[in-house]
Amino acid sequence: MRSVSTAMSTDQRVGTAGQVCRVLPEAPYGSLHAYRRSGGGDGLKAARMVPPEVVIDEIAASGLRGRGGAGFPTGEKWRTVRANASEVLRTSVVVNAAEGEPGTYKDRALLLANPYAVLEGALIAAHAMDATTVVIAIKARFLDQIARLHSAIDEITEAGWCEGIDVRIVEGPAEYLFGEETGLLEVLDGRPPFPRIAPPYRRGVTEVVRSEADPDPGSGLAANVQMATINDASVAPPVLVNNVETMANIPAILALGSAWFRSVGTPDSPGTIVCTVTGAVTRAAVGEVAMGTSLRDIIEHVGGGLIEGRRVKAVLVGVSGAVLTADQLDVTVSHESMGALGSGVGSAGFIVIGDDENVVGVASGVAHFLSIESCGQCTPCKSDGLAIASLLSTAARGAAEPHGLELLTDLLGSVANEARCGLARQQQTVVGSLLAHFEEDIRASFQVGSVATETPLIAEVLNIDNGTASLDVTFGDKQPDWSYEQTDSGKTPVERLAGHQDSDQA
């Protein structure tokens, strides 16, 4: 596909040491006019000059992989959704802006600095899907980003970019599972963010639907609906969901071509990635680097290196991937290299753990976050998760239970039984990897008479300002039932919120 732009084609936009500026500009775009001066809008113009299939082919050729965590090939996802389009029900496009992975702030940084690329990418996706609706799903607590989006939507509407397309914002809850794709789609239909088993690429509905594929409405599929098919008006339409950063990459691919996109990165992980570095570093920061950059260089160039006198003990990849140890810092941030170590890129949020921190405290913080945020649809995820968190918490306080380590190991084996989303497997992966890499340290913490240690707060990053990350300190008051009452109700979130529907979210 030929580029219609020359403004960006010769400008790689090199930022500070070790960083590039493809989607995250060094200085925020103050207006649509400023964005257009840098070549903004050329991708949308190029896309609308060709059939949707050509757009999808170009995205597929670029090798762009989702930047929301799973790293799924974007072109393949787009092709699948378009192939399942209904002739009677319009496909919708959803931007997942419900960022909540601990240690991650990159999507919110992008929305503040460059909301125009995200919206342009979503409009290109709408063209590719023949969609007339674009929804930005974002947590209601992200006030600055919501205000920025409203302003940018007004600008692109006035510029004529949105003709025939309804672009709107849906504000959702603060829960971690709002960022899970199927949980997010539940919120769009006015329900709590409880993940469902059904495919993520279709919307849910409230009514029970029977079909030849699933004549039994008690099938276990949340909302009891099937993928939309041609001439079937009784089921929910397909939906294309992509993360903020994924959408921000789309315009330049259409304007400059897939070969340009692949000019940085690795063959299997092309392009750039926007990273967040927090923890035991000189400065908490967000920065864009080429995929294939080493984790060591990211810590140095984005985070400014370690706090003086500290050394790396481990690096958490949010709370989704296996922990990386000090001797693994030269791994390149790519799906193939991190996958080879049993970890993953995730949302590229790296929490650096210093050598003065006790690993059992870190494991306790991770397990506590995941157990609280579990919705309770899957009993082992909630009950075993809370038990894992309790065992680690007592060990961190120097009051480990007899045979606690053996029980912890057993619970890690059962917590993900029949899990419908990835949260329980995150308990297995992250806590399990800490146990595997630091078995001696954790075993010592489970001995009678062990020394108490601090449990660090593992929670959502609310803001990064002047090198300091502000975490959600109120998370310490959140109960397992998702309330902030003084005592927990004893119910799971699913039980407590059964039948709840917020019409404002529908």
Side-chain angles (χ1 to χ4, degrees), residues 354-442:
D355 58 350
D356 60 334
E357 296 188 58
N358 191 307
V359 175
V360 76
V362 175
S364 174
V366 170
H368 176 72
F369 176 84
L370 292 172
S371 65
I372 294 295
E373 291 297 336
S374 170
C375 69
Q377 287 186 105
C378 312
T379 299
C381 177
K382 193 66 172 182
S383 61
D384 291 4
L386 288 170
I388 289 169
S390 177
L391 285 168
L392 287 166
S393 176
T394 56
R397 295 197 307 270
E401 301 177 14
H403 309 295
L405 187 57
E406 290 83 356
L407 180 55
L408 173 66
T409 302
D410 289 344
L411 289 167
L412 284 172
S414 62
V415 67
N417 287 351
E418 301 179 358
R420 67 172 58 198
C421 79
L423 189 145
R425 286 185 286 277
Q426 292 172 230
Q427 285 272 26
Q428 289 182 323
T429 298
V430 185
V431 176
S433 66
L434 284 164
L435 178 58
H437 287 301
F438 301 98
E439 182 180 5
E440 185 176 334
D441 291 350
I442 291 183

Side-chain angles (χ1 to χ4, degrees), residues 19-312:
Q19 300 183 48
V20 293
C21 302
R22 282 189 167 185
V23 297
L24 184 65
E26 283 198 278
Y29 290 118
S31 65
L32 179 60
H33 178 67
Y35 176 65
R36 296 181 80 166
R37 282 204 312 266
S38 73
D42 290 345
L44 181 60
K45 180 179 178 181
R48 287 174 171 172
M49 291 172 62
V50 297
E53 292 79 8
V54 175
V55 172
I56 295 172
D57 287 345
E58 193 70 15
I59 298 300
S62 76
L64 174 65
R65 298 173 66 159
R67 299 297 196 250
F72 191 79
T74 304
E76 184 178 340
K77 186 175 191 177
W78 286 28
R79 189 169 284 127
T80 299
V81 175
R82 184 167 177 83
N84 283 280
S86 167
E87 290 186 354
V88 292
L89 295 168
R90 284 280 190 176
T91 298
S92 55
V93 171
V94 175
V95 180
N96 185 343
E99 182 175 59
E101 181 77 4
T104 302
Y105 190 72
K106 51 99 174 180
D107 282 349
R108 279 163 288 170
L110 276 168
L111 289 174
L112 290 175
N114 191 10
Y116 308 105
V118 180
L119 294 170
E120 185 182 0
L123 291 173
I124 292 170
H127 170 69
M129 298 298 120
D130 290 325
T132 57
T133 301
V134 169
V135 177
I136 298 94
I138 188 169
K139 293 183 179 179
R141 70 196 298 176
F142 297 166
L143 299 178
D144 291 342
Q145 286 77 13
I146 291 170
R148 188 82 165 98
L149 279 167
H150 276 301
S151 176
I153 290 169
D154 287 345
E155 288 182 89
I156 65 171
T157 300
E158 185 177 351
W161 288 15
C162 303
E163 188 172 348
I165 300 176
D166 175 28
V167 181
R168 61 177 182 264
I169 298 170
V170 171
E171 299 178 24
E175 272 67 46
Y176 179 56
L177 286 175
F178 180 31
E180 197 276 340
E181 193 162 312
T182 63
L184 180 144
L185 294 178
E186 290 293 287
V187 169
L188 295 191
D189 286 329
R191 294 183 288 273
F194 300 148
R196 51 183 170 79
I197 299 172
Y201 44 82
R202 63 138 176 86
R203 293 283 292 271
V205 294
T206 54
E207 67 269 18
V208 172
V209 176
R210 291 172 172 83
S211 72
E212 291 183 4
D214 180 24
D216 176 12
S219 64
L221 298 179
N224 296 308
V225 293
Q226 305 302 314
M227 184 66 192
T229 55
I230 295 175
N231 297 323
D232 186 354
S234 65
V235 297
V239 59
L240 174 69
V241 183
N242 277 130
N243 159 268
V244 163
E245 185 184 350
T246 309
M247 285 298 192
N249 275 282
I250 299 297
I253 293 173
L254 271 296
L256 304 175
S258 57
W260 171 86
F261 182 78
R262 285 183 171 275
S263 66
V264 300
T266 73
D268 290 333
S269 301
T272 63
I273 189 150
V274 182
C275 305
T276 312
V277 180
T278 60
V281 288
T282 302
R283 60 174 182 266
V286 176
E288 184 178 6
V289 301
M291 292 284 276
T293 302
S294 74
L295 180 56
R296 187 185 303 277
D297 284 344
I298 289 171
I299 292 172
E300 182 65 33
H301 295 146
V302 177
L306 273 288
I307 294 172
E308 187 175 356
R310 304 276 287 279
R311 292 182 296 173
V312 175

Side-chain angles (χ1 to χ4, degrees), residues 456-473:
L457 175 64
I458 302 294
E460 181 182 301
V461 177
L462 294 182
N463 190 31
I464 293 180
D465 185 37
N466 291 324
T468 300
S470 300
L471 306 187
D472 179 14
V473 295

Side-chain angles (χ1 to χ4, degrees), residues 334-350:
S334 63
H335 295 285
E336 60 273 23
S337 294
M338 296 187 75
L341 293 179
S343 189
V345 174
S347 57
F350 303 114

